[in-house]
């Protein structure tokens, strides 16, 4: 059986599992303990098949045609290096999330688990479809079913007005994006009427039409990925969804948008302009900085993570932009380096962000709280979740020796090679861009310390937190799967880069497999060892060995005596959960340093209040500058159009008559 | 790599680690002596830091009731980070065994890892001062880290590599080529290291005044061997930063082989340069007053801009040589 057929079969099995779940929706144990783990198994199969296809197939893609769809418009499928990589990502991450989801859903919360099961697996299958599609028609069908299934998953707690609103916003932005993608395909087919990707490749447009297609695709996929200024749905929809769904959306669904953009830019359009890359780079850096600054001031833990996803998407876009700049200046090796960094970051972000979202899910179950101001001290009650989340936090902050660091390292390396570019201005600006990336990474550290410190460390801020329970067995398995991914991707970068080699070869015509082979498997040296090298395995091994040795030496030479006592706290006697920093307090330096970024409204208590309240609201200024005026314009437009509606049949007949007349005049002229 | 080369590189690496571990408290003591002399005070004994460490190691650990396991792991981890960082910087020789495992960017990552853990440990007990210190430390961290990276980028664009050994080797050989960009980078580096090591004008290592302290606020709850490890790690950090400054801006005299003679000469050079560096640090601390916490963004923003300027100066004036 060819890998393509196997993956297609896996997608169909997902659909079947979903339908089974919907049929037996009242059998709670069957749905959660059998169907979700089965879905995880299928996901692992997908990951393995795609990985094998990536490593063995070489340059020849597998293609197939399904006699489905409209008459004369069959579905075309194709498995090449690019889609195999993203399928591998989908499968590997979805396996962990499905395992977790098996233990997550509870009786009597939100929609029934059977419905969740159907939508969840439909979501998975449609993401698989997006990655397999080889014609615009099937792509759009899969894309839309992905958007709709995720919309229904987001609004599964539809009794809460806030969640309905978030879902609606998501739906609108998703469809505005879909229109952009549709128009982009239209521009690319150039009026030939051939919408298969092969057809688009052979008669792809050039000149301004190509640029128009690129810009439309950027808008469309950018809306799905959360690129500035189309990011507003992301911090609303991610917190609203159940945690496995947030993890899936943030970890995997955002990556399908990256896939789409790569497919259009590097594969379907024959020639890339350097300014496309510069545009992507600028947008990406702006998105990254914006996302990370906002993530540091959030008080809702899932919103914090959602903004951090915006930041990571920005970094990925910056990498792709840099790669485009290099590719357009025919520097394939450097383009491959930047692209490797971007793709590696896709994989890393998928793992650590899913891990963190799932950890918030466990916290939510144990405490019923998303608000950071009502959490704290959970490391004592939930050690498994806390320590696994700590791995995600270290990875997400881009710290060695975990995976987040490797891709940021590669990205910074590719920025440092820029002085070879023929553009003088770009040469000047790119090191500054590297500085922006460094600032983003450092701020990500701030946001992650805030997240972990406020949720898991310190004293409980509410009394009922003392009754919190740790994650169940299935939840733990899912978390361990993802955390293991974070560690392995961090210490074995050469394997990942070797697997990425066919992808970069396919997209920009150069790869790093020789470089990865040349050194030992331990050492990552993309260009040469003289130039730069890093080894996560030695790093981790050295750190662990030294720490352990130190521990035993200190014990042996001195003693291990330890007494418990009250905290010192400079002698202050009152030590309650209220004396710690709140989430707002921890974010205060950022609010002060980056004040122009925010739209802050404060309500100060009056000195005569018996129960003083201090309220501070940090808003997204783009919402006020861009979206509210836009909504006002749309509202105005509908009012004007609404005037046409009179409710009298004579007037409607008049409209028909006038239209008919106008058309007659128009056609007979 | 031949077995002989492997063995000598390993020995050099171990020697560097041991020298860093042994000399780091001495550097702190030397700075304190210089500062006391400059301020016309009676100086403390030069070896006082060793005495303090020994005293702390012998004492019992008093642990707050709700301190978690993270709180107990953190000192060992932080100490390891700093020891590895000090060992990675080419102080004696550029021929180090573990040099290929981590370059300049990874070194910055190592410092950041230690910072994240010390901040988390500060928040762990849940006291007002712990989280205050953690918040301020992270504030300084996110401002200082990009500036430090930009300094490294300047050096790596000059030498065409981010590997510390190659950077130091390149800079050590170009004795007569004066890089104006390195002057900017040097000023930026000095400002960053003052902030990162909690020295005046950003923080004051001798203060325990609640509202102004940063580093001390985070480690208030530590005692006994944990505190000893953290204090030692702090002095290792100062040592690593001083060695970095020496390696980047005054690298002459460093050994590029692993012969015992070259290493001995390099050792003498190193001690001499560290003594001068310690004196300069004491001078800076004497001549400046501590600034308000919210002036530090300006201070470190200036450092960042200077580092960016260094890169631009290199690209403009030195033509990306």
């Amino acid at each position: 059986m060819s890998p393509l057929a196997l993956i297609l079969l896996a997608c169909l099995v997902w659909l079947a599992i979903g339908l089974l779940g919907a049929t037996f929706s009242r059998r709670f144990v069957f749905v959660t303990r059998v169907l979700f783990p089965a879905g995880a198994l299928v996901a692992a199969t997908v990951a393995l098949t795609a990985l094998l296809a990536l490593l063995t197939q070489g340059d020849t893609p597998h293609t197939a045609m399904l006699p489905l769809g409209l008459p004369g418009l069959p579905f075309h499928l194709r498995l090449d290096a690019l889609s195999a990589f993203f399928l591998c990502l989908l499968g590997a991450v979805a396996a962990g999330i499905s395992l977790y989801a098996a233990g997550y859903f509870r009786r009597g919360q939100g929609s029934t688990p059977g419905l969740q099961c159907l939508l969840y697996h439909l979501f998975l299958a449609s993401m698989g479809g997006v990655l397999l599609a080889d014609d615009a028609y099937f792509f759009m069908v899969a894309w839309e079913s992905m958007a709709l299934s995720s919309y229904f998953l987001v609004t599964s707690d539809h009794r809460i007005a806030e969640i309905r609103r978030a879902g609606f916003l998501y739906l609108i932005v998703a469809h505005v994006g879909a229109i952009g993608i549709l128009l982009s395909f239209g521009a690319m087919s150039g009026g030939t009427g051939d919408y298969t990707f092969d057809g688009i490749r052979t008669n792809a447009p050039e000149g301004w039409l190509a640029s128009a297609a690129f810009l439309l695709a950027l808008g469309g996929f950018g809306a799905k990925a959360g690129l500035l200024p189309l990011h507003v749905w992301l911090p609303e929809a991610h917190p609203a969804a159940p945690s496995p769904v947030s993890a899936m959306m943030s970890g995997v669904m955002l990556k399908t948008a990256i896939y789409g953009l790569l497919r259009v830019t590097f594969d379907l359009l024959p020639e890339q302009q350097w300014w496309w890359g510069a545009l992507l780079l600028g947008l990406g850096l702006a998105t990254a900085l914006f996302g990370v600054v906002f993530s540091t001031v959030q008080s809702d833990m899932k919103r914090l993570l959602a903004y951090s996803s915006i930041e990571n998407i920005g970094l990925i876009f910056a990498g792709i932009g840099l790669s485009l700049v290099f590719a357009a200046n025919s520097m394939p090796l450097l383009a491959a380096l930047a692209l490797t960094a971007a793709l590696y970051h896709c994989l890393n972000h998928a793992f650590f962000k899913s891990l963190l979202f799932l950890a918030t899910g466990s916290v939510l179950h144990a405490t019923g709280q998303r608000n950071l101001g009502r959490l704290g001290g959970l490391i004592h009650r939930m050690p498994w979740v806390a320590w696994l989340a700590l791995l995600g936090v270290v990875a997400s902050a881009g710290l060695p020796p975990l995976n987040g660091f490797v891709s940021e390292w590669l990205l910074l390396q590719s920025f440092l090679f820029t002085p070879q570019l023929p553009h003088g201005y770009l040469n000047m600006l790119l090191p500054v861009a590297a500085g922006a990336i460094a600032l983003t990474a450092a701020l990500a550290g701030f946001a992650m310390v805030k997240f972990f410190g406020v949720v898991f460390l310190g004293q409980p801020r509410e009394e009922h937190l003392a009754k919190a329970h740790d994650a169940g067995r299935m939840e733990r398995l899912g978390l361990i799967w993802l955390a293991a991914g974070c560690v392995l991707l961090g210490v074995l970068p050469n394997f990942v880069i070797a697997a990425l080699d066919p992808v970069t070869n396919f997209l920009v015509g150069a790869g790093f497999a020789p470089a990865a082979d040349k050194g030992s498997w331990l050492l990552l040296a993309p260009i040469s060892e003289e130039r730069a090298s890093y080894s996560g395995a030695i790093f981790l091994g050295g750190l662990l060995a030294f720490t352990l040795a130190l521990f035993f030496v200190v014990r042996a030479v001195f003693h291990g005596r330890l007494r418990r006592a009250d905290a010192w706290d400079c002698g202050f006697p009152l030590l309650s959960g209220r004396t710690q920093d709140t989430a707002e307090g921890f974010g205060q330096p950022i609010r002060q340093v980056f004040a122009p970024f925010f739209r802050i409204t404060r309500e100060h208590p009056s000195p005569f209040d018996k129960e003083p309240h201090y309220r501070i609201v940090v808003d997204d200024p783009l919402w006020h500058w861009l979206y509210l005026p836009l909504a006002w314009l749309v509202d105005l437009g509908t009012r004007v159009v609404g005037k046409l509606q009179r409710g009298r049949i004579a007037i409607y007949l008049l409209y028909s008559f006038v239209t008919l007349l106008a058309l007659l005049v128009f056609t007979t002229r | 790599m031949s077995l002989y080369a492997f063995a000598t590189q390993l020995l050099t690496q171990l020697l560097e680690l041991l020298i860093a571990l042994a000399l780091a408290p001495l550097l702190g003591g030397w700075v304190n002596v210089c500062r006391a002399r400059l301020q016309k005070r009676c100086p403390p004994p030069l070896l006082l830091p060793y005495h303090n460490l020994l005293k702390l190691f012998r004492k019992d650990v008093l642990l707050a009731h709700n301190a978690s396991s993270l709180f107990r792991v953190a000192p060992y981890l932080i100490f390891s980070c700093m020891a590895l960082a000090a060992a990675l910087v080419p102080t004696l020789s550029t021929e180090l065994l573990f040099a290929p495992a981590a370059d300049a960017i990874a070194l910055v990552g190592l410092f950041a890892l230690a910072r994240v853990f010390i901040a988390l440990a500060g928040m762990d007990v849940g006291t007002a001062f712990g989280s205050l210190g953690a918040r301020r430390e992270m504030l300084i961290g996110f401002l200082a880290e990009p500036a430090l990276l930009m300094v490294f980028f300047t050096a790596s664009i000059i030498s065409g590599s981010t590997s510390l050994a190659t950077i130091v080797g390149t800079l050590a050989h170009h004795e007569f080529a004066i890089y104006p960009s390195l002057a900017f980078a040097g000023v930026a580096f000095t400002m960053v290291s003052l902030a990162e090591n909690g020295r005046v004008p950003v923080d004051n290592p001798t203060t325990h005044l609640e509202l102004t302290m940063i580093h001390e606020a985070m480690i208030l709850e530590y005692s006994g061997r944990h505190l000893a490890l953290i204090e030692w790690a702090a002095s290792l950090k100062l040592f690593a930063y001083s060695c970095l400054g020496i390696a980047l801006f005054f690298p002459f005299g460093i050994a590029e082989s692993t012969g015992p003679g070259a290493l001995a000469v390099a050792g003498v050079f190193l001690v001499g340069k560290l003594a001068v560096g310690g004196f300069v640090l004491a001078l800076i601390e004497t001549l400046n007053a501590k600034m308000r916490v919210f002036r530090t963004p300006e201070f470190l923003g200036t450092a960042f801009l200077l580092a960016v300027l260094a890169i631009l100066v290199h690209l403009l004036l030195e033509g990306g040589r």
Side-chain angles (χ1 to χ4, degrees), chain A residues 510-532:
Chain A
F512 281 102
D517 282 344
K518 207 162 48 193
S520 63
W521 62 274
L522 275 173
L523 206 61
L524 172 64
I527 303 291
S528 73
E529 202 180 309
E530 284 293 293
R531 181 114 211 184

Side-chain angles (χ1 to χ4, degrees), chain B residues 147-165:
Chain B
L148 183 60
L149 264 179
M150 293 313 269
V151 171
F152 282 139
F153 287 171
T154 313
S156 33
I157 291 179
I158 290 175
S159 54
S161 164
T162 59
S163 145
L164 281 167

Side-chain angles (χ1 to χ4, degrees), chain A residues 380 409 413 431 457-459 530-533 535 547 550 559 561 563-566 568-569 579-581 585, chain B residues 57-61 63-66 80 100-101 103 120 123-124 126 129 131 135 150 160-162 166 221 225:
Chain A
H380 299 284
W409 187 83
Q413 290 293 344
L457 301 179
Q459 303 177 57
E530 284 293 293
R531 181 114 211 184
S533 57
S535 164
T547 309
L550 182 69
H559 57 91
R561 287 197 298 273
R563 274 186 290 149
R564 291 277 179 175
D566 285 336
W568 158 232
D569 200 22
T579 55
Q580 312 168 79
D581 264 12
Chain B
F57 269 121
R58 286 189 181 140
K59 287 198 170 196
D60 284 9
V61 170
L63 205 60
H65 285 300
N66 66 333
S80 308
D103 65 346
L120 288 179
M123 295 178 82
D124 185 65
F129 290 118
S131 45
R135 154 165 45 106
M150 293 313 269
S161 164
T162 59
T166 318
E221 301 303 323
R225 56 178 180 275

Side-chain angles (χ1 to χ4, degrees), chain A residues 176-261:
Chain A
V176 170
I179 292 173
I181 299 168
L182 200 64
L183 290 177
S184 164
F185 281 132
M188 276 189 287
S189 81
T192 55
D194 187 357
Y195 285 97
T196 59
F197 286 174
D198 269 336
I200 291 177
R201 272 185 209 105
T202 46
N203 44 31
E206 279 167 18
W208 69 269
L209 202 55
S211 294
F214 168 75
L215 289 178
L216 283 167
L218 177 62
F221 292 118
K224 189 57 114 188
L227 201 64
L228 219 62
L230 296 167
H231 64 283
V232 282
W233 64 273
L234 217 143
E236 303 294 330
H238 281 48
S243 291
V245 178
S246 319
M248 190 64 87
M249 286 172 72
S250 182
V252 187
M253 190 187 75
L254 300 186
K255 308 305 178 310
T256 60
I258 305 281
Y259 163 81
L261 190 74

Side-chain angles (χ1 to χ4, degrees), chain A residues 58-137:
Chain A
D59 294 335
T60 49
H62 301 272
T63 53
M65 204 190 292
L66 285 187
L68 292 170
L70 296 176
L73 265 181
F75 289 162
H76 293 76
L77 301 178
R78 173 173 144 129
L79 181 71
D80 56 18
L82 182 62
S83 47
F85 168 71
F86 278 92
L87 279 165
C88 188
L89 184 155
L90 164 71
V93 176
I97 299 178
S98 291
L99 275 180
Y100 179 90
Y104 181 80
F105 290 112
R106 301 281 197 274
R107 284 192 175 89
Q109 286 183 359
S111 336
T112 59
L115 189 60
Q116 301 269 22
C117 178
L118 173 66
L119 290 169
Y120 179 85
H121 288 101
L122 178 65
F123 186 33
L124 281 179
S126 52
M127 282 196 282
V130 166
L131 299 175
L132 285 177
D134 197 27
D135 63 298
Y137 173 47

